[in-house]
Amino acid sequence: MTDKNGRVLTRREFAQRAALLSATASLATAEAVLPAPLQDSGSQGGGSITLSEAGQTEADSRYQQILGLYGNRFSDAQKADLKKMCYELQPALDHIRGYALQNGDAPALYLKPLVEREKKPQGSAPAAKKS
Amino acid sequence: MLKEAVLYAPISELARQIEAKSLSPVDLTESYLDRSARLGPKLNAYARLMPEAAREQAQAAEKEIRRGHYRGPLHGIPYAAKDLLAVKDVPTTWGAKPFANQVFDYNATVIEHLNHAGAILLGKASMIELAGGMGYKFASASLQGEAKNPWNPDCWTCGSSSGSGAIVAAGLAGFAIGTETWGSIICPSAYCGISGLRPTYGRVSRYGAMALAYSMDKIGPMARSAEDCARIFAAIAGHDFLDRSTLPIDKAAFTYSPANDLKGRSLRVGWLKNAWKQYDPGIAKIMDAAHKVLQKRFPSVKDAQLPEGPWEDAASLILSCEAGSTFGELIRSGKVSELSDPLGRIGGYVQQTVSGSDYNTALRIREILQQKMTELFDSFDVLATASQPIAATPLSADLLSPELTFPDPLGGIGNLCGLPALSVPCGFTDKKLPVGLQFVARAGDDLAVLQAGRVFQQATDWHRRHPTVNS
């Protein structure tokens, strides 16, 4: 696996940037879900990820945003993991932002126009009757 | 009770006997129920067995068939459905404690389709909580606990369709329904030594299924062979006015004819050279053998390369953004803390910090990738590679440890573009754990992966092997 500059990524590097991956499946692969909480702590407070100054500021801002909204919910260990995850998310964001896109490159939305708006079916599944 | 050989028979064989009235759907159901009650709990395979309802369905099927009304190849065949599919008046837990008592008063469209086909629902298969939507790092991330692999109960089945994989591999049902957002059908199928189809996005209605990532979720069959997957897929595919993401009628429907499907075009197979950075040593040998089988059956096999780009990053960001929205209320309310996995309890908070601008950028990259993959499929009908570069992992493994974390560009690309994929068994490691071979095709060409799998299974017998599961 190489990054967009053709540099070969190690598994560990991938694990760190695989950030957000969420859901799904398995382990290794994508399930690789969210940024893995790192075992080691780094000088940036976000594990061993090296970010640009702007990237670090953005990651810190993301972490502060979470704390500002929900800070009292987390233990110190969870806060440390959250901070690392915010740092680990940053490379993925940098990669997609760095990809060359033209103004005319439209998003691939899986949306279809509503042809018969008046005939709204039950549409979205009704909620559970109790839970 | 019926012999184990019958319980492991493919649907095509069971259906032939049921249609000929030499096999009773009631006997088949009772035998699967008995086996499921004995072995299911040991494997954490089921979220819930539904014996009374299954018996009612079996008796109804038997009566119909005796009267000469045979609906087709799924009539009288017992199955299990992943516990994120709504079944009327039966708890649907999504594998997660916050939803442990959730009950819907309607059936998911997939369940309705299978009811119409005459299939018999034995129960709900266990799964990873919220299909892994908030992230997880341990196999135990499930309301039912870790699903144990019938080939080695000290190993995991993979997720998130973990129970579905265990049920089919252990011979607890004729087939199971799983779902995939990224890897959740392909990986459990590989780890469990079964055949699993991830259909093209939009061919199977998701009405009544738990949403995780609206633009990536798919529902598909997990069964004993590619042919079985084709028969089940034919029953569940189709446009649904209740799910606007389904494809139009003519593009969503799938008809299956075993004879014609093999007489069709000669598939151009691309053997992917850059899907996995490396295999575990035992798997490399197995993949070489699978490659040789394909070369014999498909003279046009050529090496192929996936395009390079930030596809996995785009896929992961889209998935995370959509999951962060889907489960927004769970996160905001703090109930996410009730999830069992330590990563799942906090992952959603990070997901919600991705901006709309970045989400849209990822969607724009998705469009470019779709074009690149369309160009690749101008040269190939199917791409082939290992389903996973490793075999089943120990139950207690940290799934995010460096040795278990590796790039999966094909998984990212396939799920970002909604491409169909099929995993079929292709061998065993020295530790007797199954290994899967994966086929991927152009969106809408599910038939190509099913054809490739059928041809491979005509030349091999890996899919006929099953574990010895002690009761």
Side-chain angles (χ1 to χ4, degrees):
Chain A
M1 182 64 182
T2 57
D3 66 11
K4 76 189 190 81
N5 297 317
R7 188 174 62 92
V8 176
L9 296 173
T10 65
R11 283 185 173 193
R12 187 57 178 163
E13 283 174 314
F14 174 76
Q16 289 168 345
R17 56 181 272 207
L20 289 197
L21 281 190
S22 144
T24 63
S26 50
L27 54 169
T29 64
E31 284 208 48
V33 190
L34 296 146
L38 301 180
Q39 300 306 311
D40 51 336
S41 59
S43 57
Q44 293 179 325
S48 58
I49 299 282
T50 302
L51 300 176
S52 66
E53 194 173 328
Q56 190 176 338
T57 301
E58 185 180 342
D60 280 330
S61 166
R62 195 177 297 117
Y63 173 63
Q64 291 302 328
Q65 179 189 342
I66 296 171
L67 289 192
L69 286 169
Y70 309 110
N72 59 356
R73 293 182 181 180
F74 308 117
S75 66
D76 288 344
Q78 285 177 318
K79 285 179 182 173
D81 282 343
L82 280 167
K83 186 164 190 177
K84 289 170 186 170
M85 292 162 77
C86 287
Y87 271 71
E88 289 161 3
L89 167 60
Q90 195 60 40
L93 296 171
D94 291 341
H95 291 143
I96 65 159
R97 292 170 188 167
Y99 189 77
L101 290 167
Q102 304 301 315
N103 178 265
D105 289 329
L109 294 172
Y110 283 102
L111 292 176
K112 290 186 290 183
L114 294 177
V115 178
E116 297 178 279
R117 289 179 185 276
E118 72 282 7
K119 286 188 180 177
K120 186 171 184 290
Q122 287 103 319
S124 55
K129 62 182 181 183
K130 60 190 177 199
S131 69
Chain B
M1 293 298 144
L2 297 170
K3 290 181 180 174
E4 190 176 82
V6 176
L7 303 183
Y8 272 112
I11 289 172
S12 53
E13 176 59 23
L14 295 174
R16 191 183 60 75
Q17 294 185 40
I18 288 173
E19 185 177 15
K21 302 185 181 70
S22 59
L23 178 62
S24 152
V26 170
D27 290 348
L28 189 60
T29 300
E30 289 295 347
S31 296
Y32 277 131
L33 282 173
D34 174 72
R35 189 173 172 87
S36 293
R38 283 187 290 112
L39 302 180
K42 295 182 178 180
L43 299 169
N44 291 332
Y46 280 97
R48 172 178 299 266
L49 266 177
M50 300 161 49
E52 292 82 10
R55 288 183 178 114
E56 277 181 28
Q57 284 190 304
Q59 284 160 4
E62 188 148 310
K63 279 181 190 170
E64 271 192 6
I65 293 166
R66 278 187 187 157
R67 289 201 303 264
H69 183 79
Y70 180 67
R71 299 190 191 194
L74 299 188
H75 202 174
I77 305 289
Y79 76 102
K82 187 172 179 177
D83 197 26
L84 53 61
L85 292 167
V87 174
K88 187 177 179 181
D89 295 335
V90 174
T92 299
T93 72
W94 299 351
K97 187 180 173 188
F99 302 97
N101 300 312
Q102 176 175 245
V103 179
F104 295 91
D105 61 2
Y106 65 96
N107 286 329
T109 294
V110 166
I111 301 294
E112 286 291 319
H113 281 318
L114 291 169
N115 282 345
H116 292 149
I120 295 160
L121 180 59
L122 293 177
K124 312 289 290 293
S126 63
M127 58 179 282
I128 293 295
E129 54 192 0
L130 306 181
M134 297 291 97
Y136 65 106
K137 56 188 296 190
F138 297 111
S140 57
S142 170
L143 197 54
Q144 287 77 37
E146 66 271 29
K148 298 177 182 177
N149 195 313
W151 292 94
N152 180 344
D154 292 328
C155 290
W156 188 37
T157 56
C158 198
S160 63
S161 305
S162 42
S164 300
I167 286 167
V168 176
L172 309 187
F175 68 94
I177 300 295
T179 67
E180 170 159 335
T181 305
W182 187 336
S184 291
I185 288 176
I186 297 301
C187 185
S189 297
Y191 280 17
C192 293
I194 62 175
S195 302
L197 172 69
R198 178 189 78 211
T200 297
Y201 177 88
R203 288 199 81 159
V204 179
S205 169
R206 299 172 302 175
Y207 179 76
M210 183 200 83
L212 165 53
Y214 296 99
S215 74
M216 293 173 73
D217 298 338
K218 283 86 57 185
I219 299 174
M222 298 167 73
R224 308 211 192 291
S225 68
E227 184 174 356
D228 280 7
C229 287
R231 291 180 186 280
I232 301 158
F233 182 48
I236 62 176
H239 176 79
D240 181 7
F241 82 103
L242 294 172
D243 177 359
R244 291 195 191 92
S245 70
T246 49
L247 295 167
I249 291 170
D250 60 328
K251 292 185 171 60
F254 179 78
T255 46
Y256 179 66
S257 169
N260 291 339
D261 288 346
L262 288 178
K263 288 179 192 164
R265 62 199 158 143
S266 177
L267 296 175
R268 298 167 300 164
V269 178
W271 185 257
L272 285 172
K273 304 299 286 183
N274 62 341
W276 303 109
K277 189 176 173 190
Q278 62 186 60
Y279 298 130
D280 276 359
I283 293 191
K285 196 168 56 180
I286 292 166
M287 296 317 298
D288 284 344
H291 189 196
K292 288 193 174 87
V293 171
L294 292 178
Q295 285 175 317
K296 276 187 184 175
R297 292 292 177 137
F298 300 105
S300 64
V301 174
K302 289 179 185 167
D303 288 350
Q305 294 275 343
L306 293 170
E308 294 195 349
W311 323 129
E312 288 169 276
D313 290 322
S316 66
L317 288 168
I318 290 171
L319 199 164
S320 294
C321 272
E322 295 186 4
S325 165
T326 306
F327 298 112
E329 179 53 27
L330 187 74
I331 297 164
R332 286 189 292 272
S333 69
K335 285 189 176 178
V336 71
S337 65
E338 295 175 19
L339 295 181
S340 61
D341 193 271
L343 184 59
R345 292 178 202 138
I346 59 174
Y349 295 101
V350 183
Q351 290 176 334
Q352 290 196 324
T353 64
V354 180
S355 71
S357 169
D358 288 321
Y359 175 70
N360 203 51
T361 298
L363 291 177
R364 294 168 70 196
I365 290 172
R366 170 189 260 179
E367 175 70 22
I368 288 171
L369 175 62
Q370 285 180 306
Q371 291 163 7
K372 287 182 182 289
M373 290 308 291
T374 298
E375 289 166 13
L376 183 59
F377 284 118
D378 285 342
S379 301
F380 300 103
D381 296 305
V382 292
L383 303 172
T385 186
S387 301
Q388 290 285 300
I390 58 174
T393 52
L395 283 175
S396 58
D398 177 347
L399 303 176
L400 295 182
S401 63
E403 62 272 20
L404 295 181
T405 308
F406 39 76
D408 175 23
L410 184 58
I413 290 170
N415 285 289
L416 196 59
C417 297
L419 309 178
L422 177 80
S423 179
V424 294
C426 67
F428 290 85
T429 65
D430 293 342
K431 293 180 179 174
K432 298 184 170 42
L433 290 170
V435 176
L437 170 66
Q438 176 181 196
F439 298 105
V440 178
R442 186 193 296 270
D445 201 0
D446 304 71
L447 180 59
V449 297
L450 291 165
Q451 275 184 304
R454 276 200 71 197
V455 170
F456 183 81
Q457 291 184 331
Q458 284 184 330
T460 60
D461 69 351
W462 304 113
H463 60 296
R464 297 186 191 284
R465 305 193 186 186
H466 58 80
T468 302
V469 188
N470 296 322
S471 57

